[in-house]
Amino acid sequence: MRVLITGAGGPSAVSVWKSLADDHDLFLADMDPDSPGLYLVPASRRFLIPGGEDPALVPALLELCRAHSIEVLISTVDAELAPLAEADAAFAAIGTRVPLSPAPVLRRCRDKWALLSHLSGNPAVPYCVALTADSLPTITKFPCFAKPRAGSGSRGIAMIGSSEDLAALPQDGSYLVQELLPGPEFSVDVYVSQHGELVAAVPRERIRTDSGIAITARTVHMAELMESATTIALAVGVRFVANVQFKQASDGRYKLLEINPRFPGSLPLTVAAGVDVPRLLMDDLQGKPLPPGPMEFREILMVRYWTEKYLDPSEWQALCRR
């Protein structure tokens, strides 16, 4: 199939490319000509597109998909997800599938406060409050943790040791304050078919991270996390791919951090463990039978290191001029 992957500057897009490059015709797109993933495909299959918040994004992608007969559009950029899902009918009209959760689900996942509020009552939901002038006096247990309601990676996070630290943050509801979760962090790669059937739930321990991306990690058989991630993903309404993140609380329980309803950056580890999520997606879209879930996987450790690709500077210059 002819597949366009956006977010070529990030590890998620490169991870999808690794799984699908041998069996499908891949095209890559990003807003930045310096994005490394663009240069994994021939020059005729590299595209510059507007950013995820730009209203011109969807029209630009519709035109790209129409002009190049793209059959599947895979977005790996958080800001792109909901706008693309809302335009699903327009893409379908030109023969392009956009395998995403419904737009309301994507918007809920992007807003961590909305997500945790939706799951209120689930034992995996940590204590959490939106920081406002009214809620500020109610936060009395320190240390605690603060993070933006919308964001990714480690941007904007803060350890809060006192009321003075708390008062320095915006009090307009844009930040969340939650209980400190001091234990190890886990991500569960979940695949739910287009018909709502669980196919896979693979926990990964994020042993060491750099800029929010795991560089040392391992898959682990943890029934508690598999069950919790599955229950949460289905309750939220996730379809296709999602990455459900947890951290261990001081009482030993695992609490929900967030849901990323897209391919994760550490996807190659899950693939190496025996669950090739991009291939599951392609089989699902083509109506092929999927394995009964949850799929078996093996425990394996991953470490990451830099690698290089060399090319003529003229290729980069040509893309910069577009």
Side-chain angles (χ1 to χ4, degrees):
M1 299 183 77
R2 295 170 70 83
V3 182
L4 173 60
I5 307 168
T6 69
S12 300
V14 175
S15 296
V16 177
W17 170 82
K18 288 178 180 179
S19 283
L20 300 183
D22 289 341
D23 299 318
H24 300 277
D25 296 329
L26 301 190
F27 301 72
L28 282 157
D30 198 277
M31 62 183 292
D32 187 349
D34 298 336
S35 297
L38 289 172
Y39 301 94
L40 295 172
V41 295
S44 62
R45 297 187 177 189
R46 306 169 189 157
F47 306 109
L48 295 182
I49 58 175
E53 307 284 357
D54 193 327
L57 172 71
V58 170
L61 285 173
L62 279 166
E63 177 55 26
L64 272 180
C65 290
R66 185 201 59 76
H68 297 276
S69 302
I70 298 298
E71 296 168 88
V72 181
L73 171 59
I74 297 176
S75 172
T76 67
V77 181
D78 291 328
E80 296 176 358
L81 303 181
L84 289 176
E86 290 172 342
D88 181 71
F91 282 99
I94 61 170
T96 302
R97 298 284 301 274
V98 185
L100 290 169
S101 296
V105 173
L106 297 171
R107 294 200 182 280
R108 184 178 298 131
C109 290
R110 188 95 194 276
D111 183 338
K112 297 178 179 64
W113 174 243
L115 174 66
L116 296 176
S117 299
H118 178 78
L119 293 168
S120 177
N122 187 300
V125 174
Y127 164 78
C128 186
V129 62
L131 182 58
T132 64
D134 291 335
S135 66
L136 181 61
T138 70
I139 304 169
T140 58
K141 186 175 181 179
F142 302 98
C144 55
F145 194 75
K147 60 185 178 183
R149 285 177 61 164
S152 59
S154 302
R155 290 184 288 275
I157 64 173
M159 185 76 71
I160 305 299
S162 66
S163 55
E164 289 76 18
D165 292 341
L166 201 58
L169 294 175
Q171 296 167 33
D172 56 2
S174 63
Y175 259 76
L176 298 184
V177 178
Q178 68 177 51
E179 65 179 285
L180 184 65
L181 304 174
E185 184 177 344
F186 291 82
S187 292
V188 184
D189 292 335
V190 172
Y191 190 85
V192 179
S193 78
Q194 60 184 313
H195 304 298
E197 300 158 338
L198 175 78
V199 179
V202 182
R204 295 183 279 106
E205 181 180 7
R206 290 159 58 87
I207 298 171
R208 183 176 178 183
T209 62
D210 184 355
S211 302
I213 302 297
I215 57 173
T216 304
R218 62 170 181 153
T219 51
V220 288
H221 292 117
M222 297 181 67
E224 175 187 352
L225 280 180
M226 293 173 68
E227 181 178 349
S228 186
T230 297
T231 299
I232 287 170
L234 294 177
V236 172
V238 164
R239 290 294 182 270
F240 302 111
V241 184
N243 170 245
V244 187
Q245 295 191 342
F246 298 87
K247 212 167 187 296
Q248 191 175 40
S250 55
D251 63 2
R253 296 181 180 182
Y254 293 94
K255 300 293 185 73
L256 177 67
L257 292 178
E258 62 185 16
I259 299 176
N260 298 306
R262 54 165 173 76
F263 285 105
S266 296
L267 178 65
L269 173 57
T270 299
V271 174
V275 179
D276 194 326
V277 185
R279 292 193 178 196
L280 287 175
L281 171 65
M282 301 304 290
D283 287 346
D284 195 4
L285 294 178
Q286 295 176 89
K288 296 180 181 179
L290 300 178
M295 290 178 63
E296 295 292 329
F297 64 92
R298 65 190 180 111
E299 293 190 338
I300 188 172
L301 179 84
M302 173 191 77
V303 293
R304 277 177 159 164
Y305 56 90
W306 289 100
T307 189
E308 291 77 32
K309 180 179 177 64
Y310 302 98
L311 60 151
D312 193 295
S314 62
E315 294 190 40
W316 171 75
Q317 293 166 346
L319 196 55
C320 288
R321 288 194 294 268
R322 289 189 188 178

